[in-house]
Amino acid sequence: MTFPWLTTLIALPALGAVLTALVPSGRGPLAKQVATGFALLTLLVGALISIQYLFDVDMGVESETYEWIPEFGASWALDVHGISLALMALTVLATPIVALAMWREAEDEQRDPKAFFALLLVVEALTLTAFLSQDVLLFYVVFEAMLIPLYFMIGMYGGPQRRYAAVKFLLYNLVGGLAMLAAVIGLYVQSVDAGNPSFFLPDLIALDIDTTTQWWLFVGFMLAFAIKAPLWPFHTWLPDAAAEATPSNAAFLSGVADKVGTYGMIALVLPLFPDASRDAAPVIVALAVVSIIYGALLAIGQTDLKRLIGYTSISHFGFIVLGIFALSGQAATGATFYMVNHGLSTIALFVVVGFLINRRGSRQVDDFGGVQKPAPKLAGVFLVAGLSGLALPPLATFLSEFLVISGTFTRYRPAAIIATLGIVLSALYILWLYQRTMTGPVQPAVEGMPDLRTREAVVVAPLLALLLVVGFFPKPLTDAIDEAVEPTLVEVGVEPPEPLAPVAEHVEEGTGR
C-alpha cells in the first residue's frame, strides 16, 4: 500500500487548525507559530507532490479512494491532474505567505488571534479537498463547508461594515449552493437510472444524459460557480467582502478560495454537461466580456484601495471564464494558468496594500501621496505587484492573458477584440493608482512612513519572484495543464479551430526553406 500523500496534504492544515485553536488564550505568538509551521509543512508536502507531476519524478503519489457512504456510491476519492495540480500548488504556497502577512493584522485586532489563524488553515484544508476531489458529493460538501470559516473570517475581523459584507457573501453563495445541491441530486438520479448509483466523477462523466436534462443540471452547477467566481451579474458580494475583510483575508478569498468556482467550471461543468456547455458558451462568453470591461471601469473610479482591487478581480475573473468557455485548448490552458497567476498577483497587491493601510491608518487613496520618497522599497514592491496586475511582460500574467485572448480569437473574434480593451483599462487603473499614492508631493501624514521591513520582504519576495520565474519558464506548468485540458475538450466534443494563417510547407526536406 502506497503512502496517502493526498490525504496527508489535506490532513496537515486540518490538524494545524485544531492545534492552533487549542492554544491557551493570551498566547497569541504561539498560535501564530503553530499555524505558520503547519502551513509550511503543508507547502513541503505539496512541493513533493508537484515534483512528480511537473518533472516526472516518481514520488509515490497515486490516486486515493476510500469508502465514505457506500450505500449511495460516495467515496473519499482524490486525484491530481494538471488543472488541480496548478491550483493545489497555488493554495499551499499562498497559505504560509498569507499567514505571515497576518501576523501584524492579528496584533491590531482586539480578538484573540488564534481564531484568525485556525480559520485560515480550515479554509486551506477545504480548498485543497475541492481541488483534489474526484467525488461530486464530496466536492459539494467542501464547497459549501468553506462558506462557514470564510464567513467568520470576514465578519469577525476587518472594517466597520464587515458583518454586512459577511452576511451578503454568505447569502449569495448559499443561493448558489442550493441550486447546486438540486443539480447534484439530479445527477445522482441519472446514475441510478443508468444502473450504476455513484457520485464518482469518471462514472458520471460516462453517463449518456439527454440535452434537456443536461441544461437543467448545467444551470444548477453554473449558477453556483458563477457566484463563487464571481461572474457578472453575480459579482456584487466581492467588492464589499474585499473592502471590509482584513487585507490578508481578502487576499486569500480572492486569490485562492474563489478559484474553486472557475475550477468547477472547467473540471466539472464542461465534462459533465458537454452539450449544454457548447450551447451556452456564447452566452457565458458574453457575460465574461461584460465582467472584464465592467470590473475595469469601476476599478478606475474607486477611492478605496481594497475595493479597487476587488473590482480588478472581477475583471480578471472575466478573462478566466472567457478562456474556459471559448472552448479552445489554448484559451483553456491560458485560463487555468491565469488562475494561478491572478492568485499570485492579487495576493501580492492585497498584502502590500495591507502594509500601506497599517502604516497610514486609512484605506482611502486620497490619504496617500508621495510614498515613494519616505518608503522607496515599499513603493517599488507596490509598482511590481501592480504591473503584474496589468499583465506586463515578462511577468507570468502576460502569458496567461495572451493565451486566453489568442485562443478566444480563433472562435469568438469580437469577444477577444472587446476583451483586449480590458488590458488597456487595467493599465489605466494601475498606473493612475500608483501615481496618486506613490508620486507627487509628500503628504504630511506620510512623512516618516517606515520602509519595507524584513518580515514584509519575506512575505512578498516569493510572490514577485514566482511571477517573474514562471513568466520566463512556464513550460513545466503549461505542459501539465495541457495534458488535463485536452481530454476535457474531447469530452465536450469541440474540434480544434482552423489556424489563423496557413502553415508554410517545406520546400526542401529538412531545411525548412
Side-chain angles (χ1 to χ4, degrees):
M1 181 178 178
T2 58
F3 185 77
W5 285 103
L6 302 180
T7 299
T8 301
L9 183 72
I10 296 168
L12 281 172
L15 176 61
V18 173
L19 294 179
T20 302
L22 292 176
V23 171
S25 299
R27 301 288 300 277
L30 178 59
K32 299 174 187 178
Q33 293 164 6
V34 171
T36 306
F38 271 91
L40 289 171
L41 188 57
T42 306
L43 172 61
L44 176 60
V45 175
L48 293 175
I49 294 172
S50 300
I51 287 172
Q52 171 168 316
Y53 291 91
L54 291 178
F55 303 106
D56 199 23
V57 178
D58 186 10
M59 304 299 294
V61 182
E62 297 181 0
S63 60
E64 301 171 20
T65 304
Y66 309 100
E67 285 191 350
W68 179 31
I69 312 176
E71 295 81 3
F72 294 99
S75 59
W76 175 267
L78 307 175
D79 199 4
V80 179
H81 49 74
I83 301 170
S84 60
L85 173 70
L87 295 171
M88 177 206 74
L90 171 65
T91 305
V92 298
L93 174 68
T95 306
I97 289 173
V98 170
L100 284 171
M102 287 169 66
W103 278 47
R104 186 61 184 270
E105 291 177 13
E107 293 172 0
D108 293 341
E109 295 290 343
Q110 298 298 317
R111 298 178 182 273
D112 193 330
K114 68 179 183 180
F116 212 52
F117 291 90
L119 290 170
L120 174 66
L121 292 178
V122 171
V123 176
E124 180 187 20
L126 295 172
T127 304
L128 287 171
T129 307
F131 291 145
L132 299 175
S133 173
Q134 288 293 292
D135 184 279
V136 173
L137 182 61
L138 175 62
F139 177 90
Y140 172 77
V141 169
V142 296
F143 182 85
E144 288 291 272
M146 71 173 61
L147 298 180
I148 300 170
L150 286 171
Y151 168 80
F152 285 110
M153 288 175 74
I154 299 168
M156 291 175 61
Y157 306 93
Q161 297 296 317
R162 60 184 182 269
R163 291 181 178 84
Y164 166 79
V167 171
K168 189 174 183 180
F169 158 80
L170 185 64
L171 291 178
Y172 265 71
N173 283 274
L174 282 177
V175 170
L178 289 173
M180 184 176 171
L181 175 60
V184 168
I185 295 172
L187 194 58
Y188 178 72
V189 170
Q190 293 295 308
S191 73
V192 172
D193 292 342
N196 181 28
S198 176
F199 285 103
F200 190 49
L201 184 59
D203 292 344
L204 297 177
I205 291 174
L207 292 174
D208 184 15
I209 306 175
D210 65 88
T211 303
T212 302
T213 304
Q214 277 194 40
W215 259 103
W216 285 106
L217 300 178
F218 171 89
V219 169
F221 275 84
M222 192 61 198
L223 178 62
F225 296 147
I227 293 173
K228 187 74 171 180
L231 179 68
W232 185 91
F234 311 106
H235 65 283
T236 61
W237 65 265
L238 179 58
D240 290 325
E244 298 303 326
T246 65
S248 296
N249 284 347
F252 198 83
L253 173 65
S254 182
V256 178
D258 286 352
K259 300 300 188 302
V260 175
T262 47
Y263 171 80
M265 293 179 192
I266 191 169
L268 274 72
V269 169
L270 293 189
L272 284 171
F273 318 116
D275 296 337
S277 296
R278 284 196 308 273
D279 294 342
V283 176
I284 305 300
V285 165
L287 294 178
V289 171
V290 172
S291 288
I292 293 169
I293 304 303
Y294 174 88
L297 287 175
L298 265 67
I300 293 171
Q302 297 305 309
T303 59
D304 183 306
L305 285 167
K306 292 194 292 179
R307 187 175 291 273
L308 188 154
I309 301 174
Y311 277 110
T312 69
S313 288
I314 293 171
S315 182
H316 292 309
F317 273 111
F319 277 107
I320 296 170
V321 177
L322 177 66
I324 293 170
F325 280 91
L327 301 182
S328 155
Q330 184 172 324
T333 297
T336 305
F337 197 38
Y338 207 130
M339 293 185 217
V340 177
N341 296 329
H342 170 260
L344 298 174
S345 174
T346 299
I347 291 170
L349 275 170
F350 269 119
V351 165
V352 176
V353 163
F355 298 160
L356 291 170
I357 293 172
N358 178 263
R359 286 163 166 77
R360 179 65 178 84
S362 171
R363 66 192 199 203
Q364 297 301 310
V365 174
D366 294 339
D367 289 338
F368 294 85
V371 172
Q372 66 181 7
K373 293 181 180 178
K377 295 178 183 177
L378 183 59
V381 167
F382 184 68
L383 177 61
V384 176
L387 292 177
S388 71
L390 61 85
L392 183 76
L395 297 173
T397 45
F398 165 75
L399 179 59
S400 51
E401 211 159 83
F402 175 80
L403 289 172
V404 167
I405 291 178
S406 59
T408 302
F409 191 79
T410 62
R411 292 194 181 277
Y412 299 98
R413 294 190 181 187
I417 293 169
I418 297 171
T420 306
L421 178 60
I423 302 175
V424 178
L425 294 174
S426 69
L428 181 59
Y429 61 66
I430 289 295
L431 295 178
W432 192 27
L433 173 63
Y434 183 84
Q435 181 186 39
R436 288 185 291 170
T437 55
M438 300 293 139
T439 65
V442 180
Q443 289 201 14
V446 172
E447 293 179 357
M449 177 177 285
D451 207 349
L452 198 68
R453 302 182 178 98
T454 302
R455 177 184 61 83
E456 295 169 339
V458 170
V459 169
V460 297
L463 296 169
L464 302 184
L466 276 171
L467 284 167
L468 189 61
V469 171
V470 176
F472 275 108
F473 306 105
K475 192 174 187 300
L477 185 55
T478 54
D479 283 352
I481 294 170
D482 276 336
E483 292 179 4
V485 164
E486 183 177 352
T488 298
L489 293 180
V490 169
E491 290 288 343
V492 180
V494 293
E495 296 293 332
E498 293 295 325
L500 298 178
V503 179
E505 296 182 0
H506 295 298
V507 177
E508 299 178 18
E509 185 176 357
T511 66
R513 295 178 292 170

